[in-house]
mmCIF file with all atom_site columns, all heavy atoms in Angstrom:
data_model
loop_
_atom_site.group_PDB
_atom_site.id
_atom_site.type_symbol
_atom_site.label_atom_id
_atom_site.label_alt_id
_atom_site.label_comp_id
_atom_site.label_asym_id
_atom_site.label_entity_id
_atom_site.label_seq_id
_atom_site.pdbx_PDB_ins_code
_atom_site.Cartn_x
_atom_site.Cartn_y
_atom_site.Cartn_z
_atom_site.occupancy
_atom_site.B_iso_or_equiv
_atom_site.pdbx_formal_charge
_atom_site.auth_seq_id
_atom_site.auth_comp_id
_atom_site.auth_asym_id
_atom_site.auth_atom_id
_atom_site.pdbx_PDB_model_num
ATOM 1   N N   . LYS Z 1 191 ? -10.453 43.439 -29.289 1.00 0.00 ? 191 LYS Z N   1
ATOM 2   C CA  . LYS Z 1 191 ? -9.611  42.726 -30.235 1.00 0.00 ? 191 LYS Z CA  1
ATOM 3   C C   . LYS Z 1 191 ? -8.638  43.679 -30.923 1.00 0.00 ? 191 LYS Z C   1
ATOM 4   O O   . LYS Z 1 191 ? -7.461  43.351 -31.119 1.00 0.00 ? 191 LYS Z O   1
ATOM 5   C CB  . LYS Z 1 191 ? -10.477 42.020 -31.281 1.00 0.00 ? 191 LYS Z CB  1
ATOM 6   C CG  . LYS Z 1 191 ? -11.247 40.822 -30.732 1.00 0.00 ? 191 LYS Z CG  1
ATOM 7   C CD  . LYS Z 1 191 ? -12.086 40.170 -31.817 1.00 0.00 ? 191 LYS Z CD  1
ATOM 8   C CE  . LYS Z 1 191 ? -12.854 38.960 -31.265 1.00 0.00 ? 191 LYS Z CE  1
ATOM 9   N NZ  . LYS Z 1 191 ? -13.714 38.351 -32.298 1.00 0.00 ? 191 LYS Z NZ  1
ATOM 10  N N   . LEU Z 1 192 ? -9.143  44.864 -31.271 1.00 0.00 ? 192 LEU Z N   1
ATOM 11  C CA  . LEU Z 1 192 ? -8.288  45.852 -31.923 1.00 0.00 ? 192 LEU Z CA  1
ATOM 12  C C   . LEU Z 1 192 ? -7.195  46.329 -30.978 1.00 0.00 ? 192 LEU Z C   1
ATOM 13  O O   . LEU Z 1 192 ? -6.016  46.415 -31.351 1.00 0.00 ? 192 LEU Z O   1
ATOM 14  C CB  . LEU Z 1 192 ? -9.139  47.037 -32.394 1.00 0.00 ? 192 LEU Z CB  1
ATOM 15  C CG  . LEU Z 1 192 ? -8.379  48.186 -33.074 1.00 0.00 ? 192 LEU Z CG  1
ATOM 16  C CD1 . LEU Z 1 192 ? -7.691  47.684 -34.336 1.00 0.00 ? 192 LEU Z CD1 1
ATOM 17  C CD2 . LEU Z 1 192 ? -9.327  49.332 -33.401 1.00 0.00 ? 192 LEU Z CD2 1
ATOM 18  N N   . GLU Z 1 193 ? -7.587  46.610 -29.719 1.00 0.00 ? 193 GLU Z N   1
ATOM 19  C CA  . GLU Z 1 193 ? -6.606  47.078 -28.736 1.00 0.00 ? 193 GLU Z CA  1
ATOM 20  C C   . GLU Z 1 193 ? -5.589  45.984 -28.432 1.00 0.00 ? 193 GLU Z C   1
ATOM 21  O O   . GLU Z 1 193 ? -4.409  46.269 -28.211 1.00 0.00 ? 193 GLU Z O   1
ATOM 22  C CB  . GLU Z 1 193 ? -7.315  47.519 -27.454 1.00 0.00 ? 193 GLU Z CB  1
ATOM 23  C CG  . GLU Z 1 193 ? -8.129  48.792 -27.632 1.00 0.00 ? 193 GLU Z CG  1
ATOM 24  C CD  . GLU Z 1 193 ? -8.889  49.147 -26.374 1.00 0.00 ? 193 GLU Z CD  1
ATOM 25  O OE1 . GLU Z 1 193 ? -8.968  48.285 -25.460 1.00 0.00 ? 193 GLU Z OE1 1
ATOM 26  O OE2 . GLU Z 1 193 ? -9.406  50.272 -26.297 1.00 0.00 ? 193 GLU Z OE2 1
ATOM 27  N N   . LYS Z 1 194 ? -6.050  44.721 -28.386 1.00 0.00 ? 194 LYS Z N   1
ATOM 28  C CA  . LYS Z 1 194 ? -5.144  43.608 -28.128 1.00 0.00 ? 194 LYS Z CA  1
ATOM 29  C C   . LYS Z 1 194 ? -4.095  43.505 -29.232 1.00 0.00 ? 194 LYS Z C   1
ATOM 30  O O   . LYS Z 1 194 ? -2.905  43.335 -28.961 1.00 0.00 ? 194 LYS Z O   1
ATOM 31  C CB  . LYS Z 1 194 ? -5.949  42.309 -28.046 1.00 0.00 ? 194 LYS Z CB  1
ATOM 32  C CG  . LYS Z 1 194 ? -5.101  41.053 -27.881 1.00 0.00 ? 194 LYS Z CG  1
ATOM 33  C CD  . LYS Z 1 194 ? -5.980  39.824 -27.865 1.00 0.00 ? 194 LYS Z CD  1
ATOM 34  C CE  . LYS Z 1 194 ? -5.142  38.550 -27.854 1.00 0.00 ? 194 LYS Z CE  1
ATOM 35  N NZ  . LYS Z 1 194 ? -5.986  37.342 -27.872 1.00 0.00 ? 194 LYS Z NZ  1
ATOM 36  N N   . HIS Z 1 195 ? -4.547  43.636 -30.477 1.00 0.00 ? 195 HIS Z N   1
ATOM 37  C CA  . HIS Z 1 195 ? -3.614  43.590 -31.610 1.00 0.00 ? 195 HIS Z CA  1
ATOM 38  C C   . HIS Z 1 195 ? -2.612  44.740 -31.518 1.00 0.00 ? 195 HIS Z C   1
ATOM 39  O O   . HIS Z 1 195 ? -1.413  44.547 -31.756 1.00 0.00 ? 195 HIS Z O   1
ATOM 40  C CB  . HIS Z 1 195 ? -4.396  43.674 -32.919 1.00 0.00 ? 195 HIS Z CB  1
ATOM 41  C CG  . HIS Z 1 195 ? -3.517  43.732 -34.142 1.00 0.00 ? 195 HIS Z CG  1
ATOM 42  N ND1 . HIS Z 1 195 ? -2.827  42.627 -34.618 1.00 0.00 ? 195 HIS Z ND1 1
ATOM 43  C CD2 . HIS Z 1 195 ? -3.188  44.778 -34.971 1.00 0.00 ? 195 HIS Z CD2 1
ATOM 44  C CE1 . HIS Z 1 195 ? -2.129  42.981 -35.687 1.00 0.00 ? 195 HIS Z CE1 1
ATOM 45  N NE2 . HIS Z 1 195 ? -2.329  44.267 -35.916 1.00 0.00 ? 195 HIS Z NE2 1
ATOM 46  N N   . GLU Z 1 196 ? -3.097  45.922 -31.151 1.00 0.00 ? 196 GLU Z N   1
ATOM 47  C CA  . GLU Z 1 196 ? -2.205  47.079 -31.035 1.00 0.00 ? 196 GLU Z CA  1
ATOM 48  C C   . GLU Z 1 196 ? -1.203  46.891 -29.899 1.00 0.00 ? 196 GLU Z C   1
ATOM 49  O O   . GLU Z 1 196 ? -0.033  47.264 -30.028 1.00 0.00 ? 196 GLU Z O   1
ATOM 50  C CB  . GLU Z 1 196 ? -3.032  48.343 -30.802 1.00 0.00 ? 196 GLU Z CB  1
ATOM 51  C CG  . GLU Z 1 196 ? -3.868  48.746 -32.020 1.00 0.00 ? 196 GLU Z CG  1
ATOM 52  C CD  . GLU Z 1 196 ? -4.768  49.936 -31.726 1.00 0.00 ? 196 GLU Z CD  1
ATOM 53  O OE1 . GLU Z 1 196 ? -4.880  50.310 -30.542 1.00 0.00 ? 196 GLU Z OE1 1
ATOM 54  O OE2 . GLU Z 1 196 ? -5.347  50.484 -32.678 1.00 0.00 ? 196 GLU Z OE2 1
ATOM 55  N N   . ARG Z 1 197 ? -1.656  46.281 -28.779 1.00 0.00 ? 197 ARG Z N   1
ATOM 56  C CA  . ARG Z 1 197 ? -0.751  46.049 -27.648 1.00 0.00 ? 197 ARG Z CA  1
ATOM 57  C C   . ARG Z 1 197 ? 0.350   45.061 -28.032 1.00 0.00 ? 197 ARG Z C   1
ATOM 58  O O   . ARG Z 1 197 ? 1.530   45.252 -27.717 1.00 0.00 ? 197 ARG Z O   1
ATOM 59  C CB  . ARG Z 1 197 ? -1.530  45.529 -26.438 1.00 0.00 ? 197 ARG Z CB  1
ATOM 60  C CG  . ARG Z 1 197 ? -2.320  46.587 -25.707 1.00 0.00 ? 197 ARG Z CG  1
ATOM 61  C CD  . ARG Z 1 197 ? -2.772  46.080 -24.357 1.00 0.00 ? 197 ARG Z CD  1
ATOM 62  N NE  . ARG Z 1 197 ? -3.667  44.950 -24.458 1.00 0.00 ? 197 ARG Z NE  1
ATOM 63  C CZ  . ARG Z 1 197 ? -4.985  45.069 -24.479 1.00 0.00 ? 197 ARG Z CZ  1
ATOM 64  N NH1 . ARG Z 1 197 ? -5.551  46.244 -24.412 1.00 0.00 ? 197 ARG Z NH1 1
ATOM 65  N NH2 . ARG Z 1 197 ? -5.758  44.000 -24.564 1.00 0.00 ? 197 ARG Z NH2 1
ATOM 66  N N   . ILE Z 1 198 ? -0.065  43.971 -28.703 1.00 0.00 ? 198 ILE Z N   1
ATOM 67  C CA  . ILE Z 1 198 ? 0.921   42.965 -29.114 1.00 0.00 ? 198 ILE Z CA  1
ATOM 68  C C   . ILE Z 1 198 ? 1.921   43.571 -30.086 1.00 0.00 ? 198 ILE Z C   1
ATOM 69  O O   . ILE Z 1 198 ? 3.132   43.321 -30.008 1.00 0.00 ? 198 ILE Z O   1
ATOM 70  C CB  . ILE Z 1 198 ? 0.205   41.749 -29.733 1.00 0.00 ? 198 ILE Z CB  1
ATOM 71  C CG1 . ILE Z 1 198 ? -0.624  41.025 -28.660 1.00 0.00 ? 198 ILE Z CG1 1
ATOM 72  C CG2 . ILE Z 1 198 ? 1.214   40.795 -30.362 1.00 0.00 ? 198 ILE Z CG2 1
ATOM 73  C CD1 . ILE Z 1 198 ? -1.466  39.887 -29.205 1.00 0.00 ? 198 ILE Z CD1 1
ATOM 74  N N   . GLN Z 1 199 ? 1.432   44.392 -31.014 1.00 0.00 ? 199 GLN Z N   1
ATOM 75  C CA  . GLN Z 1 199 ? 2.312   45.034 -31.980 1.00 0.00 ? 199 GLN Z CA  1
ATOM 76  C C   . GLN Z 1 199 ? 3.287   45.975 -31.282 1.00 0.00 ? 199 GLN Z C   1
ATOM 77  O O   . GLN Z 1 199 ? 4.477   46.026 -31.621 1.00 0.00 ? 199 GLN Z O   1
ATOM 78  C CB  . GLN Z 1 199 ? 1.479   45.812 -33.005 1.00 0.00 ? 199 GLN Z CB  1
ATOM 79  C CG  . GLN Z 1 199 ? 2.286   46.374 -34.167 1.00 0.00 ? 199 GLN Z CG  1
ATOM 80  C CD  . GLN Z 1 199 ? 2.960   45.279 -34.995 1.00 0.00 ? 199 GLN Z CD  1
ATOM 81  O OE1 . GLN Z 1 199 ? 2.324   44.292 -35.311 1.00 0.00 ? 199 GLN Z OE1 1
ATOM 82  N NE2 . GLN Z 1 199 ? 4.222   45.451 -35.342 1.00 0.00 ? 199 GLN Z NE2 1
ATOM 83  N N   . LYS Z 1 200 ? 2.778   46.690 -30.272 1.00 0.00 ? 200 LYS Z N   1
ATOM 84  C CA  . LYS Z 1 200 ? 3.640   47.610 -29.520 1.00 0.00 ? 200 LYS Z CA  1
ATOM 85  C C   . LYS Z 1 200 ? 4.723   46.847 -28.759 1.00 0.00 ? 200 LYS Z C   1
ATOM 86  O O   . LYS Z 1 200 ? 5.890   47.267 -28.722 1.00 0.00 ? 200 LYS Z O   1
ATOM 87  C CB  . LYS Z 1 200 ? 2.787   48.413 -28.527 1.00 0.00 ? 200 LYS Z CB  1
ATOM 88  C CG  . LYS Z 1 200 ? 3.564   49.440 -27.717 1.00 0.00 ? 200 LYS Z CG  1
ATOM 89  C CD  . LYS Z 1 200 ? 2.626   50.240 -26.825 1.00 0.00 ? 200 LYS Z CD  1
ATOM 90  C CE  . LYS Z 1 200 ? 3.381   51.274 -26.020 1.00 0.00 ? 200 LYS Z CE  1
ATOM 91  N NZ  . LYS Z 1 200 ? 4.340   50.697 -25.093 1.00 0.00 ? 200 LYS Z NZ  1
ATOM 92  N N   . LEU Z 1 201 ? 4.346   45.708 -28.176 1.00 0.00 ? 201 LEU Z N   1
ATOM 93  C CA  . LEU Z 1 201 ? 5.323   44.898 -27.456 1.00 0.00 ? 201 LEU Z CA  1
ATOM 94  C C   . LEU Z 1 201 ? 6.397   44.367 -28.404 1.00 0.00 ? 201 LEU Z C   1
ATOM 95  O O   . LEU Z 1 201 ? 7.586   44.343 -28.066 1.00 0.00 ? 201 LEU Z O   1
ATOM 96  C CB  . LEU Z 1 201 ? 4.628   43.727 -26.758 1.00 0.00 ? 201 LEU Z CB  1
ATOM 97  C CG  . LEU Z 1 201 ? 3.794   44.081 -25.523 1.00 0.00 ? 201 LEU Z CG  1
ATOM 98  C CD1 . LEU Z 1 201 ? 3.030   42.859 -25.044 1.00 0.00 ? 201 LEU Z CD1 1
ATOM 99  C CD2 . LEU Z 1 201 ? 4.687   44.625 -24.415 1.00 0.00 ? 201 LEU Z CD2 1
ATOM 100 N N   . GLU Z 1 202 ? 5.981   43.949 -29.591 1.00 0.00 ? 202 GLU Z N   1
ATOM 101 C CA  . GLU Z 1 202 ? 6.943   43.451 -30.575 1.00 0.00 ? 202 GLU Z CA  1
ATOM 102 C C   . GLU Z 1 202 ? 7.904   44.564 -30.999 1.00 0.00 ? 202 GLU Z C   1
ATOM 103 O O   . GLU Z 1 202 ? 9.116   44.347 -31.114 1.00 0.00 ? 202 GLU Z O   1
ATOM 104 C CB  . GLU Z 1 202 ? 6.205   42.903 -31.804 1.00 0.00 ? 202 GLU Z CB  1
ATOM 105 C CG  . GLU Z 1 202 ? 5.507   41.577 -31.564 1.00 0.00 ? 202 GLU Z CG  1
ATOM 106 C CD  . GLU Z 1 202 ? 6.499   40.455 -31.284 1.00 0.00 ? 202 GLU Z CD  1
ATOM 107 O OE1 . GLU Z 1 202 ? 7.613   40.484 -31.825 1.00 0.00 ? 202 GLU Z OE1 1
ATOM 108 O OE2 . GLU Z 1 202 ? 6.155   39.552 -30.495 1.00 0.00 ? 202 GLU Z OE2 1
#
Side-chain angles (χ1 to χ4, degrees):
K191 289 180 180 178
L192 179 62
E193 291 176 348
K194 176 182 174 181
H195 176 74
E196 292 175 350
R197 284 194 297 267
I198 293 175
Q199 188 62 45
K200 182 177 180 297
L201 287 173
E202 287 294 328

